[in-house]
Amino acid sequence: MTIRFGVILLAGLCLTACSSSTPAPSPTPNPTPTPPPTGGAANISMINGAFNLTTTAFSPSPLNVAVGTTVTFVNNDITTHDAKADNGSFTTPLISPGSSAAVKLSTAGSFVYHCTIHPGMVGTIVVQ
């Protein structure tokens, strides 16, 4: 009888030890990776009076875009302008008032640019 009591006691202790009032944690799902941004389109305005301005001549500046974005420079000023990256990665043709020119940005980085006719006009595009 002592052995039977010992077996029953041992079984009861095992069942008590195995049961828990705290539920087991559920596995953490792996987050779905966010795809990298893809190219699109964006505009930069050469604002009215830009030829008299410096860091506010291009709007918006800085402009943040994804790799592959086509950026269109729109001349809303009364005189001709262009846009040339300081590192030479892009150059627009001359843009007369009311006209525009586009460049496709295929490389990530921060690109400072300026108007070659009015070198004080500067802007920045950040490509991610």
Side-chain angles (χ1 to χ4, degrees):
M1 181 134 165
T2 312
I3 293 176
R4 193 180 297 171
F5 179 73
V7 170
I8 293 172
L9 181 62
L10 183 62
L13 289 173
C14 286
L15 288 173
T16 304
C18 290
S19 68
S20 172
S21 62
T22 306
S26 58
T28 304
N30 291 334
T32 304
T34 304
T38 57
N43 290 335
I44 293 178
S45 174
M46 299 162 173
I47 67 170
N48 191 15
F51 65 94
N52 285 324
L53 302 173
T54 57
T55 59
T56 58
F58 296 97
S59 181
S61 181
L63 172 67
N64 295 303
V65 298
V67 170
T69 299
T70 298
V71 175
T72 301
F73 290 87
V74 181
N75 187 349
N76 293 308
D77 199 6
I78 60 171
T79 190
T80 299
H81 297 291
D82 65 359
K84 180 177 183 175
D86 290 359
N87 70 358
S89 61
F90 68 83
T91 303
T92 68
L94 295 177
I95 307 168
S96 59
S99 296
S100 63
V103 296
K104 185 169 183 172
L105 303 172
S106 301
T107 305
S110 183
F111 301 90
V112 176
Y113 60 92
H114 63 280
C115 174
T116 62
I117 302 166
H118 309 97
M121 292 174 54
V122 296
T124 303
I125 301 172
V126 178
V127 183
Q128 303 173 359

